[in-house]
């Protein structure tokens, strides 16, 4: 009876949930109790699986929920537009655009682009540029080098850094990665003779430069000696230079002008505002040795407004400049401090951006010293004409062979898709 009283207490105290069968041991035997009727049955116990949770319990495995949401937003495979009726319509992106977006997100992991079609490479560069991949400190430089070594002048053929000395100091390695530039404007950057970028001008990567503007850069005779050393000694470097602007550099003297005589292809030269002592002697020397004639009027070749940044990386250079300007903006606490100083009548020193200011007194003192090369007409005798003609034919053949070899190597470097191939690619 004692066990029945205890069991009845336990049966009444249990909850409404089904806890399973209850077993009672008496006289060495195991008895099962029926919870509903409260009776005892002497049966062999049956094994029943034990469940920790109720049947309505469910478990959801969630890992990196925030990363999944971010990834889902980045890889949105649909384009949402509105119809004429105002209904929202979505269409799937093309496979080409999806692959292009994925590669541009990981553009710094590309091993090489040599031999890759330039039409797709231009779209890939624009996609990476829109994601501002080339503004990143380390990965941006590595990605930019892959494009420049494969496509050269297509990435950038003309670079204007006039009065952008901060961009030069912040993105010097990126600027040095550009190849096959034809025009480079470094006016009003105050680089000096020892700057690393001036040394880079003598490298083979910039041997294609035809127009170089170094106006107001604190250059002296030592800087010109360094810049012309490769072409004077090794016949390499700036061998294709046609236009050179060295105006507003007062430390350049008659000795420095002597180094410029190694530029045999030079067509236009501006040395206004330099520290020449004997101007007439310099004018005669330039005319006699490299055929440059003193111009009485300003030449349009030295109009700096014509020099612009051109190429795929045009927006990249603007992004660099914007990042530098944002870093220079004063913070809110500095603005409040400046306002307090003005309130108390104290002057606040403001560091202004150095602007390109022409040295007018020195320019007026030396005058307009711009030079150009006249076209010389050949007036030879008939015999000499035949000899010159045979030499000319040989030179033309050599040039044609060299041009064919250059075109062959250029085709091996990067290919161009045909119109049919491009249309087929856009159908995917």
């Amino acid at each position: 009876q004692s066990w029945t009283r205890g069991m009845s207490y336990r049966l009444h105290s249990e909850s409404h949930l089904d806890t399973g069968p209850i077993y009672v041991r008496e006289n060495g035997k195991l008895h099962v109790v029926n919870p509903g009727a409260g009776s005892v049955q002497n049966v062999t116990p049956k094994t029943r699986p034990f469940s920790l949770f109720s049947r309505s319990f469910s478990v959801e495995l969630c890992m990196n929920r925030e990363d999944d949401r971010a990834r889902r937003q980045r890889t949105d495979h649909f384009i949402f537009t509105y119809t004429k009726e105002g209904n929202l319509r979505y269409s799937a992106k093309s496979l080409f655009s999806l692959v292009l977006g994925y590669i541009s997100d990981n553009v710094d992991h590309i091993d090489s682009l040599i031999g890759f079609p330039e039409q797709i490479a231009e779209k890939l560069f624009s996609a990476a540029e829109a994601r501002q991949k080339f503004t990143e400190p380390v990965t941006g430089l590595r990605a930019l080098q892959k494009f420049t070594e494969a496509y050269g002048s297509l990435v950038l053929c003309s670079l204007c850094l006039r009065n952008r000395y901060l961009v030069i100091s912040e993105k010097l390695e990126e600027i040095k990665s550009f190849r096959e530039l034809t025009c480079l404007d470094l006016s009003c950057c105050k680089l000096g003779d020892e700057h690393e970028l001036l040394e880079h001008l003598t490298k083979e990567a910039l041997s294609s430069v035809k127009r170089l503007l170094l106006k107001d850069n604190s250059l002296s005779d030592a800087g010109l000696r360094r810049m012309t050393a490769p072409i004077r000694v090794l016949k390499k470097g700036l061998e294709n230079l046609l236009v050179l602007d060295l105006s507003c550099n007062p430390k350049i003297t008659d000795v420095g002008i002597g180094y410029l005589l190694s530029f045999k292809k030079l067509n236009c030269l501006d040395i206004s505002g330099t520290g020449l002592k004997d101007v007439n002697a310099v004018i005669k020397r330039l005319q006699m040795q490299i055929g440059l004639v003193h111009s009485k009027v300003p030449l349009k070749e030295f109009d700096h407004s014509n020099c612009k940044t051109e190429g795929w990386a045009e927006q990249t250079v603007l992004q660099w400049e914007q990042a530098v300007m944002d870093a220079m903006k004063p913070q809110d606490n500095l603005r409040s401090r400046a306002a307090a100083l003005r309130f108390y009548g104290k002057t606040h020193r403001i560091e202004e951006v150095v602007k390109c200011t022409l040295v007018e007194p020195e320019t007026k003192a030396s005058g307009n010293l711009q030079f150009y090369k006249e076209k010389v007409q050949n007036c030879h005798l008939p015999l000499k004409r035949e000899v010159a003609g045979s030499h000319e034919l040989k030179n033309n053949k050599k040039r044609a062979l060299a041009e064919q070899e250059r075109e062959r190597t250029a085709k091996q470097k990067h290919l161009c898709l045909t119109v049919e191939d491009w249309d087929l690619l856009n159908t995917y």
Side-chain angles (χ1 to χ4, degrees):
Q1 292 180 357
S2 61
W3 67 268
T4 53
R5 281 197 301 269
M7 183 54 59
S8 62
Y9 170 75
R10 188 165 179 181
L11 288 174
H12 289 294
S13 62
E14 65 179 358
S15 61
H16 66 281
L17 294 176
D18 183 14
T19 59
I22 301 174
Y23 298 95
V24 178
R25 189 177 185 85
E26 182 183 11
N27 298 327
K29 294 182 179 181
L30 202 61
H31 302 272
V32 62
V33 179
N34 189 353
S39 62
V40 180
Q41 297 178 357
N42 188 4
V43 295
T44 305
K46 297 181 180 179
T47 58
R48 180 178 177 181
F50 181 72
S51 60
L52 293 175
F53 307 102
S54 62
R55 294 181 179 178
S56 61
F57 186 82
S58 63
V59 178
E60 182 181 0
L61 184 62
C62 302
M63 297 178 62
N64 298 330
R65 177 64 65 93
E66 296 181 358
D67 295 343
D68 291 342
R69 274 200 301 269
R71 192 181 297 110
R72 213 173 287 121
Q73 291 175 359
R74 287 199 308 269
T75 57
D76 187 8
H77 299 342
F78 299 100
I79 303 174
F80 293 92
T81 55
Y82 285 95
T83 61
K84 295 180 179 180
E85 294 78 12
N87 299 325
L88 185 62
R89 178 184 179 183
Y90 68 92
S91 57
K93 288 184 178 179
S94 64
L95 179 61
F96 176 68
S97 61
L98 292 177
V99 174
L100 196 68
Y102 177 78
I103 298 176
S104 60
D105 284 333
N106 303 275
V107 69
D108 56 301
H109 297 291
I110 296 176
D111 291 332
S112 177
L113 287 169
I114 297 177
F116 199 66
E118 65 180 45
Q119 294 101 323
I120 304 179
E122 183 179 3
K123 288 184 173 295
L124 180 60
F125 190 94
S126 300
E129 190 178 56
R131 291 164 170 80
Q132 296 190 354
K133 287 291 182 178
F134 302 114
T135 59
E136 299 175 1
V138 180
T139 58
L141 173 60
R142 186 164 59 244
L144 189 62
Q145 287 173 345
K146 300 301 179 183
F147 280 96
T148 53
E149 71 183 3
Y151 303 101
S153 59
L154 293 177
V155 179
L156 211 63
C157 62
S158 177
L159 178 59
C160 179
L161 295 173
R162 181 173 62 249
N163 198 26
R164 291 176 174 85
Y165 58 95
L166 290 176
V167 177
I168 295 176
S169 61
E170 291 292 331
K171 297 293 181 181
L172 179 60
E173 294 300 324
E174 285 82 352
I175 294 170
K176 288 168 61 177
S177 68
F178 292 122
R179 298 166 177 260
E180 301 178 12
L181 289 174
T182 57
C183 179
L184 181 59
D185 189 354
L186 299 173
S187 303
C188 311
C189 290
K190 306 290 184 182
L191 299 180
D193 297 329
E194 305 292 332
H195 200 275
E196 190 176 349
L197 186 56
L198 290 179
E199 183 182 356
H200 181 67
L201 289 176
T202 61
K203 304 294 182 181
E204 186 179 356
L206 292 182
S207 60
S208 58
V209 173
K210 296 182 179 180
R211 186 180 182 190
L212 181 60
L213 307 178
L214 295 172
K215 179 180 183 179
D216 193 14
N217 267 286
S218 303
L219 297 176
S220 65
D221 297 339
L224 294 185
R225 184 176 68 249
R226 276 177 124 190
M227 193 172 66
T228 58
I231 192 171
R232 286 187 289 109
V233 179
L234 303 174
K235 304 301 179 182
K236 295 181 179 180
L238 297 171
E239 54 187 352
N240 296 314
L241 195 62
L242 300 178
V243 179
L244 179 61
D245 186 0
L246 295 172
S247 60
C248 301
N249 289 290
K251 295 182 181 180
I252 295 178
T253 64
D254 305 38
V255 178
I257 300 301
Y259 298 129
L260 303 179
L261 301 177
S262 57
F263 294 130
K264 301 300 182 181
K265 296 181 180 180
L266 201 63
N267 289 336
C268 297
L269 175 65
D270 189 358
I271 53 175
S272 305
T274 54
L276 301 181
K277 297 179 180 178
D278 193 347
V279 178
N280 294 328
V282 170
I283 293 175
K284 291 180 180 179
R285 190 177 182 185
L286 290 174
Q287 185 171 3
M288 292 294 296
Q289 298 196 16
I290 55 177
L292 292 178
V293 181
H294 183 215
S295 176
K296 303 298 182 182
V297 295
L299 300 175
K300 63 179 182 179
E301 284 78 7
F302 301 107
D303 186 6
H304 290 255
S305 61
N306 295 330
C307 184
K308 299 178 182 179
T309 301
E310 297 178 357
W312 296 352
E314 180 180 353
Q315 294 298 322
T316 302
V317 178
L318 294 178
Q319 289 176 0
W320 294 345
E321 185 179 3
Q322 185 63 38
V324 171
M325 296 302 294
D326 292 341
M328 291 176 58
K329 288 181 180 179
Q331 301 177 359
D332 293 336
N333 55 355
L334 298 179
R335 292 177 182 175
S336 60
R337 184 179 177 186
L341 289 174
R342 284 196 300 270
F343 178 77
Y344 288 106
K346 297 180 180 180
T347 58
H348 179 62
R349 182 184 175 187
I350 301 176
E351 301 255 345
E352 295 184 355
V353 180
V354 179
K355 295 183 179 180
C356 181
T357 55
L358 301 181
V359 189
E360 294 183 359
E362 296 174 355
T363 305
K364 289 180 180 179
S366 60
N368 180 32
L369 294 178
Q370 294 182 354
F371 298 84
Y372 67 98
K373 184 175 288 186
E374 290 181 335
K375 294 181 180 180
V376 181
Q377 296 180 354
N378 294 324
C379 299
H380 301 290
L381 295 174
L383 181 62
K384 291 186 178 180
R385 267 187 199 169
E386 293 177 1
V387 176
S390 62
H391 286 299
E392 204 171 320
L393 287 174
K394 291 180 181 179
N395 292 333
N396 289 335
K397 289 181 180 179
K398 289 181 180 179
R399 287 196 200 97
L401 291 175
E403 190 68 26
Q404 290 176 2
E405 181 67 20
R406 197 179 299 111
E407 289 180 359
R408 187 178 64 83
T409 54
K411 287 180 180 178
Q412 290 178 354
K413 196 173 181 182
H414 54 83
L415 302 175
C416 296
L417 291 178
T418 61
V419 179
E420 292 80 7
D421 294 338
W422 188 248
D423 292 338
L424 179 63
L425 183 63
N426 289 326
T427 58
Y428 287 101

